[in-house]
Amino acid sequence: MRESDLTGLKNIFVVDDEWMIREAVSSYLEKQGYRVFAAESGGEALQILEKQTISFVILDLMLPDMSGEEICALIRRRSRVPVIMLTAKTMESDMVNGLELGADDYITKPFSLKNLYARMQAVLRRSSGDLKPLAAKFSWNNGDLVIDCERREVHKRAERIAVTPIEWKILSAFIKYPQKVFTRDDLLAVAFDLDFDGYDRVIDTHIKNLRKKIEDDPKRPVYIRTVHGLGYKFEGDAS
């Protein structure tokens, strides 16, 4: 992958019903060294978002089957992935509405590819700090598991359970980036602040210990799921 301010970015998603824009943006970003997914409708976009781990979304507002605003709202219910909206709308109210729905930036058509790329870099620089969770407290499966981010507490069936500092860092990463698949290297960087120079399978031990604490059956986990060949992700029905 080409080094830039987007270092670490893997999958970029371009959603636009105009073939020429999809092709131009996809080709430009692929030349920068990134993998690009593309969709021409809202329905297709939602299917791809369910199946792929997306790192950045470039989203047209005027799609044939649903609006970009609707898609942005759906994305923000479950993820903080950066979103730049593309639109032919030039009214200030449209821009404000898009930003209020959770978009990180707003670009009107026509636009230059260099400008789009520069805006992507700017968005990532703004969001590259220590991100806060999407809420102060999370609850899953009708209160079976509750994580209080402000108090740094974990409760299983209303009983507080003790977690180690490393376990808390891992849990925090999972809930800061919902639906993200974490590799072992990702979790090592989170848990040991990039200073760990050891065996990456040590993460498996911490995951095993966490499962013993938060799962009913650690051998059949419903929260910390293994994604074979990739790593781990956090699941569960939010309540």
Side-chain angles (χ1 to χ4, degrees):
M1 184 176 289
R2 179 175 172 177
E3 290 186 3
S4 73
D5 287 336
L6 299 181
T7 298
L9 184 65
K10 296 179 180 180
N11 297 336
I12 302 177
F13 191 23
V14 180
V15 186
D16 198 299
D17 64 342
E18 296 184 53
W19 177 83
M20 291 184 65
I21 290 180
R22 288 199 313 275
E23 287 297 305
V25 173
S26 296
S27 177
Y28 185 88
L29 294 175
E30 286 170 352
K31 288 179 181 177
Q32 308 305 312
Y34 305 109
R35 186 182 184 190
V36 181
F37 293 88
E40 62 181 340
S41 68
E44 184 182 3
L46 294 177
Q47 289 180 6
I48 292 175
L49 287 167
E50 283 293 326
K51 296 177 182 178
Q52 302 294 336
T53 300
I54 300 298
S55 304
F56 203 107
V57 179
I58 300 169
L59 176 63
D60 182 26
L61 291 189
M62 301 178 71
L63 298 170
D65 54 343
M66 62 190 302
S67 71
E69 289 96 338
E70 290 178 274
I71 296 173
C72 185
L74 290 171
I75 290 173
R76 279 293 170 262
R77 289 176 189 172
R78 58 182 298 178
S79 173
R80 61 170 74 253
V81 60
V83 176
I84 286 182
M85 288 182 168
L86 302 178
T87 182
K89 299 178 181 179
T90 58
M91 296 292 291
E92 182 179 13
S93 58
D94 294 319
M95 181 185 300
V96 171
N97 184 48
L99 296 174
E100 287 179 345
L101 286 171
D104 297 276
D105 204 350
Y106 190 106
I107 299 178
T108 57
K109 299 178 181 179
F111 59 90
S112 76
L113 295 172
K114 287 184 178 179
N115 181 50
L116 171 62
Y117 191 66
R119 300 280 279 271
M120 290 174 63
Q121 291 176 321
V123 166
L124 286 166
R125 283 195 294 271
R126 292 198 301 268
S127 62
S128 62
D130 185 19
L131 297 177
K132 294 182 179 179
L134 296 173
K137 182 182 289 188
F138 295 83
S139 176
W140 291 273
N141 297 343
N142 296 317
D144 174 70
L145 178 67
V146 176
I147 297 178
D148 188 324
C149 297
E150 290 186 346
R151 296 184 177 183
R152 294 197 171 196
E153 294 179 356
V154 180
H155 295 262
K156 174 70 175 179
R157 294 198 185 117
E159 289 189 13
R160 184 178 177 181
I161 60 174
V163 294
T164 68
I166 287 177
E167 290 168 355
W168 176 259
K169 287 182 179 181
I170 292 172
L171 274 178
S172 295
F174 281 135
I175 61 178
K176 285 179 182 179
Y177 298 89
Q179 304 302 314
K180 173 180 170 62
V181 177
F182 285 85
T183 66
R184 290 181 177 86
D185 285 341
D186 290 334
L187 293 175
L188 281 174
V190 166
F192 296 96
D193 299 320
L194 300 175
D195 293 328
F196 185 75
D197 185 22
Y199 189 41
D200 66 358
R201 292 285 175 168
V202 70
I203 284 296
D204 295 345
T205 300
H206 292 293
I207 293 294
K208 182 179 180 180
N209 291 337
L210 268 174
R211 283 173 170 167
K212 288 179 180 178
K213 295 177 179 181
I214 69 173
E215 304 282 1
D216 290 336
D217 183 353
K219 294 183 178 179
R220 295 181 180 179
V222 297
Y223 295 115
I224 303 177
R225 305 293 294 273
T226 299
V227 181
H228 294 289
L230 294 175
Y232 300 98
K233 69 182 297 188
F234 193 90
E235 295 184 349
D237 294 326
S239 56

